[in-house]
Amino acid sequence: MPLRGIIREQSEIREGSGNTSRKSREGVQMRHLGKSHIVPEQPSSSFPVPFEQSRWANLPPELLLDIIQRVEARETSWPSRRDVVACASVCRSWRMVTKEVVRTPEQCGWITFPISLKQPGPRDTPIQCFIKRERATSTFRLYLGLSPALSGNLSKLLLTARRIRRAINTQFIVSLVPDDFSRASNNYIGKLRSNFLGTKFSIYDSQPPHDQKLRTGRTSRLKRRIHLKQVCPSKTATNYKVAAVAFELNILRTRGPRRMRCTMDSIPVAAVEEGGTAPTPTEFKDGMNEHHSSTSVCKGKKPITESPEPQEPIAPLVLKNKSPRWHEQLQCWCLNFKGRVTVASVKNFQLVAAAETNQNVSAAEQEKVILQFGKIGKDIFTMDYRYPLSAFQAFAICLSSFDTKPACE
């Protein structure tokens, strides 16, 4: 039986708790096989018991592994890669095998599951994306693909951000879907917050750092709590500061591009050293439960947080924008974007690693462009990122360029 038939039959078993006919269920299932967004993973306990007792859940492990490996090797791009996601939704046993077979973006260069957006990109070739800005709704959407003209309707929506202007700062709320920006939702990924002048930004992740040393070190002191209801402490979400972006002030109003510096608190500088690795989460964790496991909350009193044990500080990775060169004939500052940027803009930038002399980072590694961002049309921008940044971190850094910065230009 073809793979689609297997998936269709499993969906019918899952939905067949009433007297609904099989034909009507097939119509519902086919309508959901079109273009889809990346959605957050649901706990395995949410599957009904009859769903796990189907005949496809009892396939021999060797046969099941061979099926998943064939599908994963064949579908290497979206939208066809949704078949890999469909395999993970058949049942619990299929899901476990699929998660073991599917590799991280660093290893294969593909984005498959929602957790892939929090994992580092490939080391050799960058993952190419583009951002569409909607001025009317102050919304920014990140798509997987070269450009809207080349990808068209086949572009995969990865992340969406909405800008919220306030009297003292500006915030960008990042979500997995384009119509849900509630920080109490499972679709909430993180946020970007600016200072009053728009020269400094803080990137907050909804998930704690994957590395235990980073979690109990600097980032644990920068943890922020979001009170959804002051009278309901059980619904308290937690944000973890993972990076900071700073733009250099241009007090003399001299001509030239913006100068920016990014401090990645959740990525050690050892990640770009020879033989180094970057933190790679494998699943989403419940930040609310983790927060309350180490916090005593009483109604009408401030929470008491356990202070972490002192550990040796870990040097974070620092990124700086690559210095452009002045083109005499064009009378402008230029960078080699390798054809990915076609419109001159003050927002265009390339980020490289800024290493100290005592750090074991080679000169070749310091010349590699980790993140580049630039304009290709009206409200259309390209974003290419690679190891050790994740899609979420790269998207948040690029969002900082969309905020107004009169003191930096």
Side-chain angles (χ1 to χ4, degrees):
M1 179 181 294
L3 176 63
R4 290 183 181 276
I6 298 175
I7 299 170
R8 187 184 303 116
E9 181 174 336
Q10 301 309 307
S11 300
E12 292 169 0
I13 296 175
R14 181 173 53 185
E15 297 173 0
S17 57
N19 296 324
T20 308
S21 63
R22 177 174 180 176
K23 293 184 179 180
S24 62
R25 290 195 300 270
E26 289 179 353
V28 173
Q29 178 65 16
M30 292 304 295
R31 286 197 299 270
H32 285 79
L33 290 178
K35 178 182 176 183
S36 60
H37 305 297
I38 292 183
V39 296
E41 297 177 352
Q42 300 295 332
S44 57
S45 60
S46 61
F47 290 111
V49 175
F51 183 56
E52 183 68 23
Q53 296 177 350
S54 65
R55 57 175 178 170
W56 299 111
N58 299 321
L59 286 179
E62 296 80 5
L63 177 59
L64 179 57
L65 178 63
D66 182 66
I67 293 175
I68 304 300
Q69 288 177 340
R70 288 174 181 267
V71 176
E72 202 274 340
R74 182 188 62 190
E75 311 299 350
T76 59
S77 61
W78 289 91
S80 59
R81 194 155 179 80
R82 66 191 178 194
D83 292 343
V84 181
V85 181
C87 290
S89 64
V90 171
C91 61
R92 186 179 296 108
S93 59
W94 282 58
R95 183 179 184 84
M96 297 302 297
V97 174
T98 304
K99 292 175 66 175
E100 294 177 0
V101 171
V102 174
R103 297 170 293 172
T104 63
E106 178 185 354
Q107 298 170 333
C108 65
W110 305 329
I111 294 179
T112 308
F113 297 117
I115 194 62
S116 303
L117 302 173
K118 296 291 185 73
Q119 296 173 340
R123 292 177 180 262
D124 299 328
T125 58
I127 294 181
Q128 297 177 325
C129 310
F130 65 90
I131 300 174
K132 293 181 66 175
R133 174 176 59 182
E134 298 180 3
R135 296 177 182 266
T137 58
S138 297
T139 303
F140 305 84
R141 300 187 180 186
L142 176 66
Y143 291 90
L144 179 65
L146 298 176
S147 66
L150 297 177
S151 302
N153 295 330
L154 299 180
S155 303
K156 180 65 179 177
L157 178 64
L158 300 180
L159 293 170
T160 307
R162 173 166 293 176
R163 179 169 55 193
I164 302 175
R165 295 187 183 274
R166 296 183 177 178
I168 58 175
N169 59 32
T170 301
Q171 294 191 11
F172 293 82
I173 308 299
V174 184
S175 173
L176 287 169
V177 295
D179 54 357
D180 183 8
F181 296 95
S182 172
R183 280 173 282 190
S185 170
N186 290 332
N187 296 316
Y188 173 71
I189 290 295
K191 71 173 183 176
L192 175 73
R193 192 186 64 174
S194 73
N195 63 351
F196 178 74
L197 296 177
T199 58
K200 294 183 179 180
F201 294 81
S202 299
I203 301 175
Y204 296 94
D205 196 336
S206 62
Q207 300 293 313
H210 177 67
D211 194 332
Q212 183 65 26
K213 294 181 180 179
L214 295 172
R215 186 183 309 181
T216 57
R218 181 178 180 184
T219 49
S220 64
R221 298 194 301 270
L222 299 175
K223 184 170 59 177
R224 293 181 57 85
R225 295 174 9 67
I226 303 172
H227 289 277
L228 304 178
K229 294 275 189 181
Q230 191 68 25
V231 298
C232 185
S234 61
K235 292 186 178 181
T236 304
T238 306
N239 275 339
Y240 299 84
K241 185 177 179 180
V242 296
V245 183
F247 290 85
E248 184 178 330
L249 291 174
N250 187 8
I251 301 177
L252 301 178
R253 310 293 293 178
T254 58
R255 295 183 60 189
R258 296 172 178 171
R259 295 180 178 89
M260 60 188 301
R261 196 173 184 89
C262 304
T263 304
M264 310 304 299
D265 297 321
S266 61
I267 304 177
V269 69
V272 295
E273 296 178 355
E274 185 177 357
T277 57
T280 306
T282 56
E283 61 182 4
F284 285 104
K285 298 180 181 179
D286 190 349
M288 297 184 184
N289 293 341
E290 178 169 321
H291 174 75
H292 285 284
S293 63
S294 60
T295 305
S296 299
V297 180
C298 300
K299 186 176 180 180
K301 297 182 180 181
K302 294 183 179 180
I304 303 174
T305 306
E306 297 178 0
S307 52
E309 297 180 0
Q311 293 188 2
E312 184 179 353
I314 300 176
L317 174 66
V318 177
L319 305 177
K320 65 178 181 179
N321 62 317
K322 192 173 184 179
S323 300
R325 61 180 180 86
W326 178 258
H327 199 289
E328 290 293 342
Q329 295 180 349
L330 299 177
Q331 291 294 299
C332 65
W333 297 96
C334 295
L335 280 171
N336 183 14
F337 288 95
K338 298 182 179 180
R340 288 285 289 158
V341 179
T342 58
V343 179
S345 174
V346 71
K347 297 180 177 64
N348 301 346
F349 67 81
Q350 289 180 332
L351 294 184
V352 295
E356 303 293 339
T357 55
N358 59 345
Q359 296 172 344
N360 187 24
V361 181
S362 62
E365 190 67 29
Q366 296 184 42
E367 289 297 321
K368 288 184 179 180
V369 177
I370 296 178
L371 171 64
Q372 76 173 18
F373 171 79
K375 191 174 184 179
I376 60 174
K378 184 179 180 180
D379 298 328
I380 302 294
F381 303 82
T382 58
M383 188 197 84
D384 301 341
Y385 76 97
R386 57 181 291 273
Y387 176 91
L389 291 183
S390 66
F392 164 71
Q393 294 167 342
F395 186 44
I397 294 175
C398 293
L399 288 175
S400 65
S401 293
F402 288 105
D403 197 28
T404 305
K405 302 172 182 59
C408 303
E409 301 173 358

